[in-house]
């Protein structure tokens, strides 16, 4: 295994694990905040139970995410020193600001977790706002650095090194806003459907109580909103890719020839040698319309670029199909669920199974989206500036760090799953116990202190 293959494999596995931790770390604080807000408004204990459960999961994910994120920062320096030497002064401000967001989240998460009995209910809820906002901002700031790698601006190159660096232009690069919105929506969407899957699974096992229904409903409200908004942000992202990374767009749709009214391909297995896409369903003019909003627009095919500048066409195309297909299937499941709710009918076993599947689809869409983003940029680590092969470390023994970091992430994943399974034990307190609490006290903070943890 040479250094380039080992380094890329290590980053792929590390990012694959970390993306799930990061998405949950962004999405769960918002669900926790919504649930506690509903408790403050409606005084229904079930919402406090959910908020406490989700707060514990948030604390757990924060710890796991901190470890996996720290490991990733070490990997950047260990595996890609030429890249860090070139890009460090440019993207450093984004990572520095992300560090501030991380510290703010840590401070207020501590106040939130340990403030149930020590703060007034409203003050406690207000402490959750910086947790949700800073968690989201961490992802947005990291995306600033990643979007700069996709669309590098704010510097000039002299003797192979950047000069005249404009850190603000690099930070607020043209791709940042669109990709940051797309990432944030994807994180909320993936989290919402993973959470919905947990409560749907509980209902399949006979737990059709108020606690599981409320958890499922809150998750699906957030999931449905983001699932509807995501294709809209995806439309902006596709047009951005068409403008700034035409080779990536061509790989996404396996568009080999340059042509007007380029078709949109659904499915298919690209054959790079023959430059065909067997088994694909083609919608004439669809790609031109989606990429430019012009049915007759010309789309550059892969043949317009040197063969050595092509990404892995088959992998990018299939990942793009998985991302879009997962999103559309999730929307269909949501539509069926809300139609039954509107008709005041209970979700049956097949729909609940579909909701469990939606959790898997949410993760699949997130992972596939990152494959499209990162593999589609290849063979460049900084698009059109630095090739990935030129950025890898020349040091020997990369397979040692590959094995050790993979073992670390597998251990983190197993630990997280085990702890979350222990946390997902159903409703913390029975209804009868809550009725007793309400009979004893009318103060929300005293009700909160009486709720047992799961």
């Amino acid at each position: 295994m040479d250094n380039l293959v080992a380094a890329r494999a290590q980053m792929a596995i590390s990012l694959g694990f970390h993306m799930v931790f990061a998405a949950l770390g962004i999405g769960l604080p918002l669900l926790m905040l919504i649930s506690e807000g509903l408790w403050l408004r409606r005084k229904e204990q079930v919402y406090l139970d959910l908020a406490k459960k989700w707060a514990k999961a948030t604390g757990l994910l924060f710890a796991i995410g901190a470890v996996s994120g720290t490991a990733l920062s070490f990997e950047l320096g260990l595996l890609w020193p030429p890249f860090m030497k070139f890009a460090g002064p440019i993207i450093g401000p984004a990572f520095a600001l992300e560090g501030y967001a991380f510290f703010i989240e840590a401070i207020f998460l501590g106040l939130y977790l340990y403030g149930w009995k020590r703060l007034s209910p409203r003050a406690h809820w207000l402490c959750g706002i910086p947790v949700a906002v800073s968690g989201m901002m961490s992802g947005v700031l990291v995306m600033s650095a990643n979007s700069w790698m996709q669309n590098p601006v704010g510097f000039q190159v002299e003797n192979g090194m950047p000069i005249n660096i404009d850190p603000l232009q690099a930070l607020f690069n043209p791709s940042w806003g669109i990709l940051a919105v797309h990432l944030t929506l994807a994180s909320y969407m993936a989290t919402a459907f993973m959470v919905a899957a947990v409560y749907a699974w509980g209902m399949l096992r006979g737990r059709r109580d108020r606690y599981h229904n409320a958890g499922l409903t809150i998750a699906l409200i957030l999931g449905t909103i983001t699932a509807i908004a995501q294709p809209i942000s995806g439309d902006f992202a596709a047009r951005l890719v068409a403008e700034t990374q035409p080779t990536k767009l061509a790989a996404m749709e396996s568009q080999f020839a340059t042509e007007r009214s380029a078709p949109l391909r659904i499915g298919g297995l690209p054959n790079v040698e023959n430059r065909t896409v067997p088994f694909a369903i083609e919608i004439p003019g669809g790609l031109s319309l989606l990429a430019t909003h012009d049915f007759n627009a010309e789309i550059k095919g892969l043949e317009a670029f040197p063969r050595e500048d092509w990404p892995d066409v088959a992998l990018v195309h299939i990942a793009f199909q998985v991302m879009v297909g997962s999103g559309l299937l999730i929307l269909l499941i949501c539509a069926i669920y809300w139609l039954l709710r509107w008709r005041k009918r209970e979700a049956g076993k097949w729909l609940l199974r579909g909701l469990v599947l939606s959790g898997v689809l949410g993760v699949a869409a997130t992972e596939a989206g990152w494959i499209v983003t990162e593999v589609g940029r290849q063979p460049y680590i900084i698009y059109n500036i630095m090739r990935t092969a030129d950025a890898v470390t020349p040091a020997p023994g990369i397979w040692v760090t590959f094995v050790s970091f993979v073992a670390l992430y597998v251990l983190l994943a197993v630990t997280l799953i085990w702890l979350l399974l222990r946390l997902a034990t159903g409703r913390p307190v029975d209804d009868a116990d809550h009725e007793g609490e309400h009979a004893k006290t009318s103060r929300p903070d005293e009700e909160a202190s009486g709720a047992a943890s799961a």
Side-chain angles (χ1 to χ4, degrees):
M1 183 183 293
D2 64 27
N3 276 13
L4 181 59
V5 173
R8 289 190 64 190
Q10 183 175 327
M11 289 300 295
I13 292 172
S14 300
L15 282 168
F17 278 110
H18 183 71
M19 284 309 105
V20 178
F21 305 151
L24 287 166
I26 291 171
L28 263 179
L30 180 60
L31 287 174
M32 155 188 105
L33 195 64
I34 291 170
S35 188
E36 189 179 7
L38 288 170
W39 172 65
L40 288 172
R41 183 177 180 84
R42 300 184 181 180
K43 301 300 185 290
E44 293 184 41
Q45 184 71 30
V46 66
Y47 295 120
L48 178 61
D49 293 339
L50 288 168
K52 286 196 167 188
K53 180 81 73 172
W54 292 340
K56 287 186 175 184
T58 297
L60 174 61
L61 285 159
F62 181 83
I64 297 288
V67 175
S68 64
T70 302
L72 270 172
S73 67
F74 278 114
E75 287 177 282
L76 284 174
L78 289 170
L79 301 178
W80 313 103
F83 164 75
M84 293 302 295
K85 182 179 179 181
F86 185 99
I90 304 173
I91 62 176
F95 284 111
L97 290 171
E98 193 273 336
Y100 283 112
F102 175 84
F103 288 131
I104 291 171
E105 183 180 8
I107 291 167
F108 282 94
L109 182 59
L111 290 171
Y112 192 91
L113 291 174
Y114 295 101
W116 289 105
K117 300 178 182 179
R118 297 168 179 82
L119 299 172
S120 70
R122 190 169 299 276
H124 184 269
W125 180 77
L126 289 173
C127 284
I129 295 177
V131 177
V133 172
S134 57
M136 179 266 293
M137 285 304 301
S138 289
V140 167
L141 288 164
V142 169
M143 181 50 69
S144 172
N146 185 271
S147 60
W148 177 86
M149 294 164 67
Q150 313 286 337
N151 188 6
V153 295
F155 66 100
Q156 296 173 337
V157 178
E158 185 178 282
N159 297 324
M161 292 302 295
I163 61 170
N164 299 328
I165 296 171
D166 184 344
L168 288 179
Q169 187 182 4
L171 180 67
F172 297 100
N173 62 79
S175 300
W176 183 26
I178 292 172
L179 295 180
V181 169
H182 198 61
L183 166 77
T184 304
L185 288 174
S187 298
Y188 288 147
M189 178 178 164
T191 300
F193 287 104
M194 280 190 273
V195 171
V198 170
Y199 290 96
W201 178 257
M203 293 172 74
L204 275 172
R205 299 178 65 184
R207 298 175 180 174
R208 291 178 176 265
D209 51 31
R210 173 69 173 143
Y211 177 79
H212 283 79
N213 274 292
L216 181 64
T217 300
I218 294 172
L220 283 181
I221 289 173
L222 177 62
T224 304
I225 292 171
T226 51
I228 293 171
Q230 189 67 316
I232 300 172
S233 76
D235 176 65
F236 283 95
R239 283 185 283 148
L240 174 69
V241 169
E243 179 183 346
T244 60
Q245 294 177 294
T247 51
K248 179 187 288 187
L249 178 71
M252 287 161 58
E253 285 295 334
S254 295
Q255 182 68 30
F256 292 101
T258 299
E259 61 180 320
R260 293 188 177 276
S261 296
L264 180 70
R265 294 178 177 86
I266 300 174
L269 298 173
N271 187 322
V272 178
E273 297 303 321
N274 298 330
R275 302 189 177 183
T276 58
V277 192
F279 312 113
I281 300 171
E282 294 190 355
I283 302 175
L287 178 57
S288 293
L289 181 64
L290 288 176
T292 67
H293 289 185
D294 180 356
F295 184 83
N296 294 311
E298 181 180 270
I299 299 296
K300 283 188 177 182
L302 288 163
E303 293 175 346
F305 307 96
R307 181 66 180 84
E308 62 268 21
D309 287 348
W310 294 11
D312 187 325
V313 178
L315 179 57
V316 174
H317 177 82
I318 292 171
F320 182 68
Q321 299 295 314
V322 169
M323 180 185 71
V324 175
S326 297
L328 291 175
L329 189 51
I330 282 173
L331 274 173
L332 176 62
I333 294 170
C334 284
I336 295 172
Y337 173 83
W338 290 114
L339 177 63
L340 290 178
R341 283 286 296 261
W342 178 65
R343 297 181 67 177
K344 297 182 179 179
R345 292 175 59 184
E346 242 187 22
K349 286 187 176 181
W350 281 107
L351 178 56
L352 291 174
R353 288 169 183 158
L355 290 170
V356 172
L357 176 63
S358 73
V360 179
L361 293 173
V363 175
T366 300
E367 297 286 6
W370 274 102
I371 290 172
V372 172
T373 300
E374 298 306 298
V375 178
R377 188 182 65 241
Q378 299 303 317
Y380 293 98
I381 191 168
I382 306 174
Y383 191 66
N384 283 339
I385 299 291
M386 178 183 286
R387 288 181 176 269
T388 307
D390 297 329
V392 71
T393 178
I398 295 301
W399 67 271
V400 176
T401 63
F402 172 77
V403 172
S404 59
F405 274 92
V406 168
L408 170 65
Y409 278 96
V410 170
L411 177 63
L412 288 175
V414 170
T415 302
L416 178 63
I417 292 170
W418 180 70
L419 290 172
L420 287 177
L421 287 174
R422 286 179 60 85
L423 189 60
T425 54
R427 185 168 185 166
V429 183
D430 294 334
D431 287 333
D433 294 335
H434 288 317
E435 290 172 4
E437 286 180 8
H438 286 298
K440 294 176 185 177
T441 179
S442 61
R443 285 185 47 133
D445 54 341
E446 290 175 1
E447 293 173 9
S449 66
S453 60

